[in-house]
Amino acid sequence: GTQTDRLYIGDAQTGRIIEFSKEGNFIRQLSPSDPNRFRDMRSLYVDEANKVFYILTKKGLYKAPIPPMPSIP
């Protein structure tokens, strides 16, 4: 498999995705513009090579881009 330096956790209750380093350090949280879209998340698949999330919810399967890290001046 492909090695990654990130851990992504899908929070089904709030519909957000939380990103951590592989050492367990919090990096950021990601939320859709519609906070209800990913509620009842059933599964999360991360395709880091193509920078895409696949999110399975009770209502359907969604594909969403992994946002780039913000620049720090």
Side-chain angles (χ1 to χ4, degrees):
T2 303
Q3 286 287 338
T4 180
D5 61 347
R6 300 284 190 252
L7 171 67
Y8 297 92
I9 297 175
D11 182 346
Q13 186 173 9
T14 63
R16 65 188 177 150
I17 297 170
I18 307 164
E19 183 177 349
F20 294 91
S21 69
K22 68 179 178 181
E23 292 80 24
N25 298 314
F26 174 82
I27 296 175
R28 62 184 173 163
Q29 70 176 4
L30 305 166
S31 299
S33 55
D34 175 359
N36 293 315
R37 172 167 279 175
F38 300 146
R39 291 232 171 127
D40 295 322
M41 190 181 311
R42 301 287 195 243
S43 185
L44 171 66
Y45 175 77
V46 182
D47 180 352
E48 284 191 319
N50 293 306
K51 301 182 182 338
V52 174
F53 290 122
Y54 293 93
I55 302 118
L56 179 64
T57 70
K58 186 167 71 173
K59 294 183 179 183
L61 177 64
Y62 298 90
K63 179 180 176 183
I66 298 175
M69 291 295 292
S71 303
I72 299 175

